[in-house]
Amino acid sequence: MHSLNHPHILSMLGFYEDASSFHLVLEYAPQGDLLECLQPLEDDSVENLRSILWQVCQALSYLEQVQVAHRDIKPENVVMCGKAVKLCDFGWATWWKPGPHQSTLCGTAEYVPPEVLWSTMLYAAEYVDRWQFGVLAVEVFEKASPFSPDNGRGNEQGAHESIIFSKIRLFRSTKDLQLQPDAEYRDLVERLLQVEPTDRLSATSALNHSFFGQRQDIPQALPSPTVAQRRQ
């Protein structure tokens, strides 16, 4: 995380270790995470919701370029820094090479893509964030995860987790979901929540989707030398 450099990724300013713990010094996010802000956004305009997703998509597009998969995209890992939205918590992140090389079941249950649950095969980390961004888009607009066992964000352990995984395994298309009627929003979600990983819209392509309109936001930062070296 220390080597990542983008205006929509929370900066790690430093780290230190004492006798019992390892400490990260992170950029301050005074407004808390997106989960805490979702309820107050109830009456906000669609444009404000688009702006939140646009900024997350900017971060994911950058991660695609430097070949890093976050693998735990969810509202709790999106923090609010003034008007800026920033992705954080890279505990499950991994550098990736094209192709299926991963077998780790990781992330948050409601956001796990189907291929991670297919125990007989490896999965490609590069497509995980695309699915999770689609789930995040649904949660931002619908105020509920599409795969929650109780149509909300409930307990994800034990029996609840089994129900969540069953819903994900049975998922075939966004026709199974009750989504708001906005055509551009529905099309974006449909292109992201594809069961076949290679059919999912990349974050870089999603930035050009009509859902986001013609935006001229902060340009993406270039990879730092450290990141470029790690990719080689």
Side-chain angles (χ1 to χ4, degrees):
M1 180 179 176
H2 193 261
S3 60
L4 299 176
N5 174 30
H6 191 272
H8 294 303
I9 292 178
L10 195 72
S11 298
M12 188 172 80
L13 306 177
F15 55 89
Y16 64 94
E17 187 175 6
D18 58 25
S20 60
S21 303
F22 191 82
H23 303 270
L24 304 180
V25 182
L26 303 176
E27 179 182 1
Y28 183 47
Q31 281 80 34
D33 63 48
L34 182 56
L35 182 63
E36 297 172 342
C37 298
L38 277 178
Q39 193 62 39
L41 285 170
E42 195 74 46
D43 298 325
D44 268 22
S45 68
V46 170
E47 185 59 28
N48 287 337
L49 301 180
R50 289 181 204 268
S51 177
I52 290 171
L53 293 175
W54 166 260
Q55 292 178 70
V56 175
C57 196
Q58 287 266 14
L60 295 179
S61 176
Y62 166 74
L63 292 180
E64 286 180 348
Q65 293 178 41
V66 298
Q67 293 184 256
V68 171
H70 186 282
R71 298 196 297 178
D72 198 17
I73 308 298
K74 58 181 179 179
E76 295 94 325
N77 290 340
V78 177
V79 295
M80 318 297 284
C81 301
K83 294 183 179 181
V85 173
K86 303 198 176 193
L87 188 62
C88 68
D89 194 345
F90 283 71
W92 284 116
T94 184
W95 302 87
W96 57 264
K97 296 180 180 179
H101 302 287
Q102 301 293 323
S103 60
T104 305
L105 175 59
C106 61
T108 302
E110 294 173 57
Y111 285 78
V112 172
E115 67 272 17
V116 176
L117 302 178
W118 299 338
S119 59
T120 58
M121 60 183 293
L122 299 174
Y123 66 89
E126 61 189 289
Y127 302 117
V128 171
D129 289 355
R130 302 180 188 187
W131 173 276
Q132 293 184 340
F133 181 58
V135 178
L136 179 70
V138 173
E139 183 153 3
V140 166
F141 266 76
E142 312 295 339
K143 304 301 185 293
S145 168
F147 302 111
S148 173
D150 53 4
N151 296 320
R153 294 187 61 82
N155 181 4
E156 295 171 350
Q157 302 299 318
H160 281 254
E161 189 173 84
S162 297
I163 295 172
I164 292 168
F165 288 161
S166 294
K167 284 190 170 186
I168 294 171
R169 289 190 181 99
L170 293 172
F171 178 82
R172 293 296 176 264
S173 77
T174 54
K175 295 178 181 178
D176 300 336
L177 306 178
Q178 294 183 348
L179 302 177
Q180 293 188 26
D182 184 290
E184 293 173 337
Y185 156 67
R186 294 174 71 97
D187 184 73
L188 176 65
V189 170
E190 180 181 359
R191 292 173 183 269
L192 291 167
L193 296 185
Q194 293 288 322
V195 175
E196 174 53 51
T198 57
D199 290 341
R200 294 172 196 154
L201 192 68
S202 70
T204 302
S205 296
L207 290 173
N208 296 316
H209 191 276
S210 58
F211 172 76
F212 292 121
Q214 300 297 319
R215 290 183 173 274
Q216 299 294 329
D217 284 51
I218 302 172
Q220 298 180 43
L222 294 175
S224 67
T226 306
V227 173
Q229 293 168 5
R230 288 291 301 272
R231 293 180 61 189
Q232 296 177 354

